[in-house]
Amino acid sequence: MNEVKSAELMVDQRINKDNILNQVRVFAPATVANMICGFDVLGFAVEAPGDEVTMTKVKQLGVRITSIKGDDGRLPLDPEQNTVSACAMKVLEDLGLAEEFGVEIELVKHMPIGSGLGSSSASTVAGVFAVNALLGNPLTKEELLPYCIEGEKLACGHGHADNVAPALMGGITLIRSYEPLDIVPLPVPAGMYAGIVFPHVDVPTRDARQLIKERVPLKDAVVQWGNVAGLVAGLYQNDFALIGRSMQDVIIEPVRAILIPQFAEMKAIAMSYGALSFGISGSGPSVVAITQSEAVAKTITIAIKNHLDKQEIDCNTYVSAVNTEGPRLLD
Amino acid sequence: MNEVKSAELMVDQRINKDNILNQVRVFAPATVANMICGFDVLGFAVEAPGDEVTMTKVKQLGVRITSIKGDDGRLPLDPEQNTVSACAMKVLEDLGLAEEFGVEIELVKHMPIGSGLGSSSASTVAGVFAVNALLGNPLTKEELLPYCIEGEKLACGHGHADNVAPALMGGITLIRSYEPLDIVPLPVPAGMYAGIVFPHVDVPTRDARQLIKERVPLKDAVVQWGNVAGLVAGLYQNDFALIGRSMQDVIIEPVRAILIPQFAEMKAIAMSYGALSFGISGSGPSVVAITQSEAVAKTITIAIKNHLDKQEIDCNTYVSAVNTEGPRLLD
């Protein structure tokens, strides 16, 4: 966590110790990284699922995880290993408050781990947003983002921002550059919905990344950046036809789709029911249909679930508009 | 020229033979392909330089080039080899008029050949626009574009559209896809200027393309499509800072810049005088500074010319706003 620069800029003056709360409860959303054609640079947040963090100020110094629910025992309770506690601790330290009090964290995972829906990001963002809220919001979202990226590094072994940026900022985000960090919020067309299916097959993020080749044909890269440009133009123009034509991934999907049973069949179903586009969410195995209405997204997720049932593959389905808010306080 | 589909869609009904003119004179603009970060997908038209075509209806069937000025004898007069006449002939044939009359073409090149400024495209577009104007404009610009792409294939050996599309449509254009052809006009921020320098060094388009590797590192491609997305967002948001940050080419420029003497020095001069971005126009050797004002573009081209003078390299310089009109009738 050393790469996060301390938020020195007179942050002391932004902290009013009388405003520090005793407890906050925060929801942070799942995210669809890559947005099909924008590998590592695009992502959007959804309304549900997501994770929930309850953070309580306590006298005992340090950050502790007191409980994790919904993870089937897969996440570490060690505060230095768990991204939620590690990031919260780093914020407290940078703000010079680590010697004044501690915090206890309860994490409730309302979403599957290893699903390609930004599970670790949702937890990290919930934790970072929670500690900032607990302190009376001394830091802006832009200032919180580097902590979340460091959290991703801890959780996944790489500091990508295509889940944490949309989870924290809400909406559709472009990560134009990492050095320096340059996040561009993109417009969200009214009526855009995501129909998400998480088939219960195991595709760990690290494996999914390793399949991808280090070099790609330039001609494919040209197609991809033409599509990324078309998607961004379509978002600004509210042009769903252009959005649909542009959301095609000729580089990552052909490799990763092999890991996802029934991918081609699910795609055919989605397109036959009117999806604008269909592809892999993040590194999978979740898949996402982008639609122009909630009804179409629902129809597609039901049709895909029916198909997977016949193949004896369990799945979760989610239908959601783009979440333009990002994390929020509960209660 | 076989791949252009005949414009069958009741085009007969759009031709009023009483409206066919005897002569038209057309200007079509030079273009900056790639727009620095968008290799093969982006391009924009400038106000000047450009090429001029005078087209005259004559009784003798067929299309003839009667004169070419400004090409130093480098362009073919053979009507099947010259892109202007070949494209005009194809339009006449597809419209069923090739057996009714012929045309004679005078081409005046007001711009250097092999400069990286879309010289052949300007001529092709002028010719195709001229024959359509002569006929009373039976075809839309979208219908004319495939003829221009075929013309590029004849002139350059490849049917790219990143010069002909902006030369014909005007403004900044995205070629999202070739199959099917999908051209997206992008907004032109008010006040955007190009300062162009054409150093008199020989870099044939074919050689410049051959230098480029067939496979590129995925991590560079990701940077590139992040930049393309940032540029498109910046154009829509009229955000010159974002436009400048985004117009960086990490894939093509490092290879092609080697062919252009003094490239690094010219770039340093441009950036020191306030360019938003600086890079190669098309396949070079012309270079382009993108600026937020005419004055800055002028200052940069003068400073670069002074520098090249000291190196005993001749050059042409051009300062231009983005040309939003494309080709136009003269007189």
Side-chain angles (χ1 to χ4, degrees):
Chain A
M1 306 296 269
N2 295 325
E3 289 175 36
V4 174
K5 290 204 186 81
S6 298
E8 301 146 313
L9 33 141
M10 297 177 296
V11 133
D12 276 2
Q13 295 172 26
R14 291 195 234 162
I15 297 175
N16 179 342
K17 289 184 184 171
D18 296 336
N19 280 351
I20 296 178
L21 303 174
N22 286 318
Q23 189 176 71
V24 293
R25 202 155 71 88
V26 165
F27 167 87
T31 40
V32 175
N34 301 344
M35 215 169 162
I36 300 179
C37 61
F39 180 66
D40 276 0
V41 306
L42 293 176
F44 66 88
V46 293
E47 299 287 359
D51 285 347
E52 196 184 311
V53 158
T54 303
M55 195 172 281
T56 310
K57 180 185 163 197
V58 293
K59 285 187 181 166
Q60 191 189 340
L61 299 184
V63 175
R64 281 167 302 285
I65 309 267
T66 54
S67 81
I68 305 180
K69 287 177 190 156
D71 72 328
D72 293 330
R74 290 167 69 180
L75 297 179
L77 282 159
D78 175 351
E80 289 185 13
Q81 293 306 311
N82 187 299
T83 168
V84 185
S85 42
C87 291
M89 190 67 204
K90 179 69 178 154
V91 173
L92 281 183
E93 283 171 358
D94 283 357
L95 295 180
L97 297 169
E99 301 302 316
E100 305 219 1
F101 55 85
V103 298
E104 289 181 353
I105 292 168
E106 294 169 66
L107 171 61
V108 184
K109 291 208 68 72
H110 291 299
M111 59 183 293
I113 298 169
S115 55
L117 293 170
S119 172
S120 64
S121 295
S123 296
T124 304
V125 167
V128 168
F129 189 84
V131 70
N132 194 47
L134 199 74
L135 303 176
N137 295 310
L139 300 178
T140 64
K141 281 188 172 181
E142 286 72 16
E143 289 167 336
L144 293 177
L145 186 56
Y147 294 96
C148 300
I149 293 174
E150 283 298 304
E152 276 293 84
K153 214 175 274 181
L154 182 64
C156 311
H158 58 85
H160 286 273
D162 48 355
N163 287 111
V164 284
L168 179 65
M169 316 303 278
I172 302 170
T173 57
L174 163 67
I175 302 109
R176 192 203 56 84
S177 151
Y178 281 87
E179 296 283 346
L181 193 59
D182 190 4
I183 306 291
V184 182
L186 298 176
V188 178
M192 178 183 275
Y193 270 78
I196 296 169
V197 177
F198 165 49
H200 295 185
V201 294
D202 203 28
V203 182
T205 304
R206 284 173 201 252
D207 291 3
R209 288 197 83 84
Q210 278 163 8
L211 263 188
I212 296 169
K213 296 192 175 65
E214 281 182 17
R215 300 183 83 85
V216 298
L218 175 59
K219 68 174 178 48
D220 291 345
V222 169
V223 170
Q224 199 89 349
W225 62 61
N227 281 333
V228 168
L231 172 56
V232 174
L235 294 175
Y236 277 96
Q237 291 176 198
N238 222 40
D239 180 340
F240 280 103
L242 176 57
I243 290 168
R245 293 198 299 277
S246 302
M247 291 181 87
Q248 298 181 48
D249 173 7
V250 299
I251 292 195
I252 310 298
E253 181 177 301
V255 181
R256 279 191 175 161
I258 298 163
L259 294 175
I260 302 172
Q262 301 296 315
F263 180 84
E265 292 80 356
M266 292 190 286
K267 187 167 189 168
I269 290 168
M271 299 314 288
S272 77
Y273 280 101
L276 296 167
S277 174
F278 179 90
I280 303 168
S281 174
S283 52
S286 287
V287 290
V288 59
I290 305 296
T291 71
Q292 206 174 340
S293 82
E294 186 175 16
V296 171
K298 275 187 182 162
T299 305
I300 288 169
T301 54
I302 291 167
I304 291 178
K305 183 175 169 25
N306 287 342
H307 174 77
L308 292 181
D309 282 349
K310 286 180 206 149
Q311 312 296 319
E312 298 184 348
I313 298 171
D314 286 339
C315 67
N316 300 88
T317 63
Y318 310 95
V319 170
S320 174
V322 176
N323 169 351
T324 55
E325 183 186 14
R328 66 175 187 276
L329 289 174
L330 298 173
D331 297 340
Chain B
M1 306 296 266
N2 294 325
E3 289 174 36
V4 175
K5 291 203 185 80
S6 298
E8 303 146 314
L9 34 142
M10 295 179 297
V11 134
D12 275 3
Q13 296 174 24
R14 292 194 235 161
I15 298 174
N16 179 342
K17 289 184 183 170
D18 296 335
N19 281 350
I20 295 177
L21 304 174
N22 286 319
Q23 190 177 70
V24 292
R25 202 156 70 88
V26 164
F27 167 87
T31 39
V32 174
N34 301 345
M35 215 171 163
I36 300 180
C37 61
F39 179 67
D40 275 0
V41 307
L42 292 177
F44 67 88
V46 293
E47 298 287 359
D51 284 347
E52 197 184 309
V53 159
T54 302
M55 194 172 281
T56 310
K57 181 185 162 196
V58 293
K59 284 188 182 164
Q60 191 189 341
L61 299 184
V63 174
R64 281 167 303 283
I65 309 268
T66 53
S67 81
I68 305 179
K69 286 178 188 152
D71 72 328
D72 293 329
R74 291 168 68 180
L75 297 180
L77 282 159
D78 176 350
E80 288 184 16
Q81 294 306 310
N82 188 297
T83 168
V84 185
S85 41
C87 291
M89 191 66 205
K90 177 71 178 154
V91 173
L92 282 183
E93 283 172 358
D94 283 356
L95 295 180
L97 297 169
E99 301 302 316
E100 305 219 357
F101 55 85
V103 298
E104 289 181 352
I105 293 169
E106 294 170 65
L107 170 63
V108 184
K109 290 209 68 75
H110 292 297
M111 60 184 291
I113 296 170
S115 56
L117 294 171
S119 172
S120 64
S121 295
S123 296
T124 303
V125 167
V128 168
F129 189 84
V131 70
N132 195 46
L134 199 74
L135 303 176
N137 295 310
L139 300 179
T140 64
K141 282 189 171 180
E142 287 71 16
E143 289 167 336
L144 293 176
L145 186 55
Y147 294 97
C148 300
I149 293 175
E150 282 298 303
E152 275 294 83
K153 215 175 275 182
L154 182 65
C156 309
H158 57 85
H160 286 271
D162 47 356
N163 288 112
V164 284
L168 179 65
M169 315 303 278
I172 302 170
T173 57
L174 163 67
I175 303 108
R176 193 203 55 84
S177 151
Y178 282 87
E179 296 282 346
L181 192 59
D182 189 4
I183 307 291
V184 182
L186 297 176
V188 178
M192 178 182 274
Y193 270 78
I196 296 169
V197 178
F198 165 49
H200 295 185
V201 294
D202 202 29
V203 182
T205 304
R206 283 172 202 252
D207 291 3
R209 287 196 84 84
Q210 278 163 8
L211 263 187
I212 296 169
K213 296 193 175 64
E214 281 185 16
R215 300 182 83 85
V216 297
L218 175 59
K219 68 175 178 49
D220 291 345
V222 169
V223 170
Q224 198 89 350
W225 61 62
N227 280 333
V228 169
L231 172 55
V232 175
L235 294 174
Y236 277 95
Q237 292 175 197
N238 223 43
D239 180 339
F240 279 104
L242 176 57
I243 290 168
R245 293 198 300 277
S246 301
M247 290 181 89
Q248 299 180 48
D249 173 7
V250 300
I251 293 196
I252 310 299
E253 181 178 301
V255 180
R256 280 191 175 160
I258 298 163
L259 293 175
I260 302 171
Q262 302 295 316
F263 181 84
E265 292 81 357
M266 293 191 285
K267 186 167 190 168
I269 290 168
M271 299 314 289
S272 76
Y273 280 101
L276 296 167
S277 175
F278 179 91
I280 304 167
S281 175
S283 52
S286 288
V287 290
V288 59
I290 306 297
T291 70
Q292 207 174 338
S293 83
E294 186 175 16
V296 172
K298 274 186 183 162
T299 306
I300 289 170
T301 53
I302 291 167
I304 291 178
K305 184 178 173 15
N306 287 343
H307 174 78
L308 291 181
D309 282 349
K310 286 180 206 150
Q311 312 296 319
E312 299 185 346
I313 299 172
D314 286 339
C315 67
N316 300 87
T317 64
Y318 310 96
V319 170
S320 173
V322 177
N323 169 350
T324 55
E325 183 186 14
R328 65 176 187 276
L329 288 174
L330 298 172
D331 299 339

